[in-house]
Amino acid sequence: MLNSTPVTHFVLGAYMDIGLLKYPVFVFLLLWYAAILLSNLLLIAVISQSRSLHEPMFVFMCALFVNEVYGSTAIFPMLLSQILHEAHVITRAACLLQIFCVYSYGGTEVNMLTLMSYDRYLAICCPLQYSSSMTPTKMAALITLCWSYSLILNLFITYGLTGRLKPCGNVIDKVYCDNFWVVRLSCSDTTADKIFGLVNGLCRLLCVITLILYSYGRILRVCLSSSKRARQTALGTCVPHLLSILNFSCGGLFEVMQSWFDMSAVSTPLRVFLSLHWLTVQPLASPVIYGLKMTKIRQAVLEKNSARDLVCCVFPPS
């Protein structure tokens, strides 16, 4: 039976009644969010302040860290607010905004990780052409393309496709708004949404996997024919990136599986944790992985003058 009353609010149905445990959970998530902001902002400031880090690889990392701040801010404030409330309700307008922010973060993350794979391929496999291939103008154009493509695409999906649908139900079985669930709750014709989502998802997945596999296939080939020192240098820059890709892919894969398959057999706590992995773990994992593995970043952070300038940059005196 179709609901004739317009849906103005959604209920986030995956929140569990944990009683007084909600306060320790709130504090833990608040500290986690603070760690994400601090670590990413510190590395953004380090790269910005240190002239030795004004190289394509670190500039792309800086853009990645900006995206981590953007993505975590799309989820944590709402999570913290919902944990302390008894009724887990969100307005339709706020839900659509969160969908746009969350999925544009995910799209930009994929774009940036793919771009960084291509950058490593050029640096290791085509070192003589690297300087001419990665000029400041080209770097700015590539970063702008990564961001603008994701923002424009998700603007169209969220407000052009999903936003026009008329929901018949209002219970989303997750702890945050999800585009799949809003489409699923619709009593409008969702054929266009499903076809566009399937074609877009498959095309992007195919392009991303092809480019990353091609880049690292060529890198592996060069490393096998190089000296031990050259291999160590190449691996030193590639391993953090591969770890970041693997971490994000694991979280993203579960989210895709949850959208297409029945995951009711998975316990609710585990399902909630896995669905939040790509939004909560990745933003902290990226700065930790790159900060610990990249020698130049560690050296810049440990320099006394850089550290002092860094604190002043992130926390300017009043």
Side-chain angles (χ1 to χ4, degrees):
M1 182 180 296
L2 299 182
N3 187 356
S4 59
T5 304
V7 173
T8 58
H9 293 74
F10 288 104
V11 177
L12 302 173
Y15 283 93
M16 297 167 288
D17 184 11
I18 55 177
L20 294 178
L21 283 177
K22 65 182 180 182
Y23 298 108
V25 172
F26 175 86
V27 172
F28 173 78
L29 289 177
L30 182 61
L31 293 175
W32 190 274
Y33 182 42
I36 289 173
L37 293 180
L38 182 61
S39 58
N40 281 284
L41 290 175
L42 286 177
L43 290 183
I44 290 170
V46 165
I47 294 172
S48 302
Q49 295 288 318
S50 303
R51 298 183 66 87
S52 61
L53 299 181
H54 291 177
E55 302 174 8
M57 176 174 62
F58 298 107
V59 173
F60 293 144
M61 283 184 195
C62 189
L64 184 71
F65 298 147
V66 171
N67 191 51
E68 307 298 5
V69 174
Y70 169 67
S72 59
T73 303
I75 188 69
F76 273 96
M78 189 275 291
L79 272 179
L80 293 170
S81 174
Q82 292 290 341
I83 285 173
L84 295 181
H85 284 81
E86 297 296 330
H88 308 295
V89 177
I90 185 172
T91 65
R92 187 169 184 268
C95 187
L96 289 175
L97 177 61
Q98 186 177 54
I99 289 172
F100 167 73
C101 293
V102 165
Y103 282 90
S104 58
Y105 155 74
T108 304
E109 190 83 359
V110 170
N111 294 343
M112 288 304 307
L113 290 174
T114 306
L115 174 59
M116 292 169 72
S117 297
Y118 178 67
D119 172 69
R120 290 300 81 210
Y121 157 71
L122 288 179
I124 296 172
C125 301
C126 310
L128 298 180
Q129 293 81 31
Y130 185 65
S131 298
S132 60
S133 299
M134 283 296 176
T135 62
T137 302
K138 290 182 179 178
M139 284 191 297
L142 289 170
I143 292 173
T144 301
L145 179 62
C146 287
W147 275 89
S148 59
Y149 177 81
S150 181
L151 292 174
I152 293 172
L153 176 66
N154 284 282
L155 194 66
F156 170 70
I157 292 174
T158 304
Y159 295 100
L161 293 178
T162 306
R164 67 178 176 79
L165 301 176
K166 295 180 180 179
C168 291
N170 69 337
V171 179
I172 298 174
D173 192 24
K174 299 191 75 170
V175 294
Y176 63 92
C177 284
D178 179 75
N179 185 71
F180 168 78
W181 271 96
V182 175
V183 173
R184 185 177 180 180
L185 292 171
S186 173
C187 50
S188 306
D189 183 12
T190 60
T191 303
D193 301 72
K194 292 177 180 178
I195 293 176
F196 182 85
L198 181 61
V199 173
N200 175 66
L202 289 177
C203 290
R204 291 196 66 189
L205 186 63
L206 182 62
C207 292
V208 167
I209 291 177
T210 300
L211 186 54
I212 291 177
L213 289 179
Y214 174 79
S215 298
Y216 276 99
R218 293 292 301 273
I219 289 172
L220 179 61
R221 184 178 177 181
V222 170
C223 288
L224 291 177
S225 60
S226 302
S227 63
K228 182 179 179 180
R229 183 174 181 180
R231 283 198 301 269
Q232 291 176 342
T233 302
L235 290 175
T237 62
C238 291
V239 168
H241 181 244
L242 287 172
L243 291 174
S244 188
I245 290 177
L246 182 62
N247 182 67
F248 184 76
S249 298
C250 290
L253 179 61
F254 179 82
E255 192 64 11
V256 172
M257 291 175 61
Q258 187 171 226
S259 297
W260 288 98
F261 303 104
D262 181 14
M263 304 295 290
S264 58
V266 182
S267 65
T268 300
L270 180 59
R271 182 157 47 85
V272 170
F273 171 76
L274 292 175
S275 67
L276 286 172
H277 181 276
W278 68 296
L279 290 167
T280 58
V281 177
Q282 179 71 9
L284 185 58
S286 288
V288 170
I289 290 172
Y290 288 110
L292 291 177
K293 292 291 184 179
M294 303 300 292
T295 305
K296 285 190 176 181
I297 292 181
R298 292 204 310 270
Q299 290 175 345
V301 172
L302 293 175
E303 287 178 3
K304 185 176 180 179
N305 292 334
S306 294
R308 185 178 64 249
D309 294 340
L310 179 61
V311 173
C312 293
C313 180
V314 179
F315 305 105
S318 55

